[in-house]
Amino acid sequence: MADLQNDLRPSATAGDVDDLAEPYPDDGVITAESYEPVSDPDDAPMVRAHAILAAHPVADGYNGLPWALKRLPYYDLELGEGTVGTDVPRLRDGHVGALFWSLHLPEGFDGDRAVGATLEQLDLAKTAARTCDDGLRLASTAGQVADARNCGRVAVLLGPAGAPAIGDSLGILRQLHLLGLRALTLTGVSWASEAGLTRFGEEVVREMNRLGVIADLSGASAQTISRVLSLSRAPVLCSRSAARAIRPHPVNLPDELLAELGAAKGLCLVPLTAEQTGPSVRDVADHLDHIRAVAGAQCVGLAGTYDAGSAHPQELGDVSCYPRLVAELLRRGWEEADVALLTWGNVQRLLRGTDFTARAARQRRAPSGAKISELDG
């Protein structure tokens, strides 16, 4: 199949930049540092990492496969697909039990174009999962995720999508939720800006709570993050944010916001990208150590960001590589209980909390008919 692909390269490692990458201004290209591999598949931490992950698999909070598949004339995720970084054999090698498929769009999509393109991605993602039903299973709740794992499948959750996907309409938000959307990133719209949430933005968050759509705050302004944390009754998510104290990337979170997120029982998913975390496994582990110390062990998770157009740290080039990261954490003294929260438990808690909040909210609150023109003028 690889000879059929001419327009997409496999996921990059540190020192390479993928065609889809959109570096932030002034960041430049990240180059690999001198680095010696830390992972020996026969060493005790690696053996223990595989054993822990067999019991507590990875719930990967951000994977860009749907947009990558859109560019391929043909693919086979069941047998293996060398043109992307995600397929069923490598998901199993990496002990991945669940993953969120990002529905984000390239910059510049807005209005009707963003709504239409998001619907197309939803359709493609659902089709890909259903044609790979021996390995993947669509899920939208914590119970469905657990059922998929118990059946030997990788649970696929749809989202996050960008906020422009709802076209400033709560009705479109409800229809996207019916189609399976599980998370929405609150950036790129007038009602969630550098100034924070507008009145309509607050109504969007309340309706997301009622539906069970998770608020993703990666890339949102500090004002928006703080307001959502105070307003949302459901736990929130930062789908791809590391520690700004270690690496000053604009999507990474400063310690004060990490502390707020931890106090609100939210979840920060650390991306495995060289740009945000650094070019080595040790760099990623440094971010995980820091966020655990600042926000707590129940506030940290993993976002592979594979097939999203980013260069990845060495030894973490695709979804099969999670045991190498877990082995590094074990070398640093992480207890199995904290590793289990990092890989699986925290995402399950987030999903359960979101489901519980939605069931309670639907008993108290009817679907909102608010319009942006009425609330924001």
Side-chain angles (χ1 to χ4, degrees):
M1 285 167 287
D3 59 339
L4 298 178
Q5 321 307 333
N6 297 315
D7 58 350
L8 184 67
R9 295 198 301 268
S11 295
T13 55
D16 301 317
V17 177
D18 195 281
D19 288 333
L20 299 178
E22 297 180 2
Y24 286 83
D26 302 325
D27 278 0
V29 175
I30 294 185
T31 57
E33 298 175 359
S34 177
Y35 178 70
E36 295 181 2
V38 297
S39 299
D40 177 353
D42 295 323
D43 72 5
M46 276 295 287
V47 171
R48 190 175 169 215
H50 280 284
I52 292 173
L53 287 171
H56 309 286
V58 172
D60 183 335
Y62 194 95
N63 182 285
L65 188 61
W67 190 262
L69 293 181
K70 183 181 175 68
R71 302 179 60 190
L72 300 182
Y74 176 77
Y75 55 86
D76 191 332
L77 300 178
E78 196 79 67
L79 293 179
E81 184 55 62
T83 56
V84 292
T86 306
D87 57 31
V88 171
R90 282 178 286 177
L91 286 169
R92 287 175 173 155
D93 288 345
H95 300 283
V96 177
L99 72 167
F100 283 78
W101 272 358
S102 164
L103 304 174
H104 281 150
L105 303 171
E107 189 174 350
F109 280 68
D110 56 16
D112 292 344
R113 189 182 180 206
V115 176
T118 300
L119 289 171
E120 289 178 355
Q121 277 207 86
L122 272 169
D123 176 66
L124 187 153
K126 293 167 84 168
T127 300
R130 286 169 178 159
T131 56
C132 194
D133 58 358
D134 284 344
L136 305 176
R137 178 171 293 183
L138 289 167
S140 60
T141 67
Q144 290 173 4
V145 169
D147 287 345
R149 176 194 171 194
N150 293 337
C151 294
R153 307 295 196 274
V154 178
V156 173
L157 299 110
L158 301 177
I166 73 169
D168 296 337
S169 167
L170 296 177
I172 295 177
L173 171 63
R174 285 189 285 271
Q175 293 308 305
L176 290 174
H177 171 257
L178 287 175
L179 291 172
L181 181 66
R182 202 65 176 100
L184 189 74
T185 305
L186 303 186
T187 60
V189 287
S190 63
W191 44 267
S193 65
E194 288 296 319
L197 292 180
T198 65
R199 291 177 61 200
F200 181 75
E202 293 177 350
E203 192 68 4
V204 171
V205 172
R206 295 187 188 99
E207 189 66 7
M208 290 170 66
N209 281 182
R210 193 189 71 83
L211 293 170
V213 177
I214 301 164
D216 172 24
L217 301 177
S218 276
S221 68
Q223 291 80 2
T224 295
I225 293 174
S226 293
R227 181 57 183 142
V228 173
L229 288 175
S230 65
L231 178 66
S232 178
R233 297 294 179 263
V236 303
L237 174 71
C238 289
S239 67
R240 58 204 184 285
S241 294
R244 193 176 295 179
I246 296 178
R247 199 167 185 89
H249 189 282
V251 180
N252 292 348
L253 296 178
D255 285 357
E256 56 269 24
L257 287 181
L258 284 172
E260 279 190 58
L261 188 67
K265 307 301 182 185
L267 184 56
C268 179
L269 302 180
V270 174
L272 308 188
T273 67
E275 185 178 12
Q276 283 185 251
T277 55
S280 75
V281 175
R282 295 186 184 96
D283 293 316
V284 177
D286 288 344
H287 287 270
L288 295 172
D289 282 341
H290 185 84
I291 294 172
R292 183 179 65 155
V294 173
Q298 292 188 334
C299 185
V300 62
L302 299 172
T305 60
Y306 294 110
D307 297 307
S310 300
H312 298 285
Q314 294 187 28
E315 290 207 282
L316 297 176
D318 60 47
V319 294
S320 70
C321 299
Y322 284 107
R324 298 171 182 172
L325 176 58
V326 171
E328 172 64 17
L329 298 177
L330 294 174
R331 293 186 186 95
R332 294 174 178 228
W334 279 53
E335 298 293 334
E336 180 174 341
D338 283 359
V339 173
L341 288 175
L342 171 77
T343 59
W344 185 256
N346 287 338
V347 169
Q348 279 291 89
R349 175 186 60 80
L350 177 84
L351 293 172
R352 287 195 300 269
T354 301
D355 295 341
F356 177 84
T357 300
R359 288 196 298 270
R362 284 195 290 267
Q363 295 177 3
R364 302 189 308 268
R365 177 181 167 91
S368 174
K371 299 183 183 302
I372 190 170
S373 57
E374 297 170 351
L375 295 181
D376 293 350

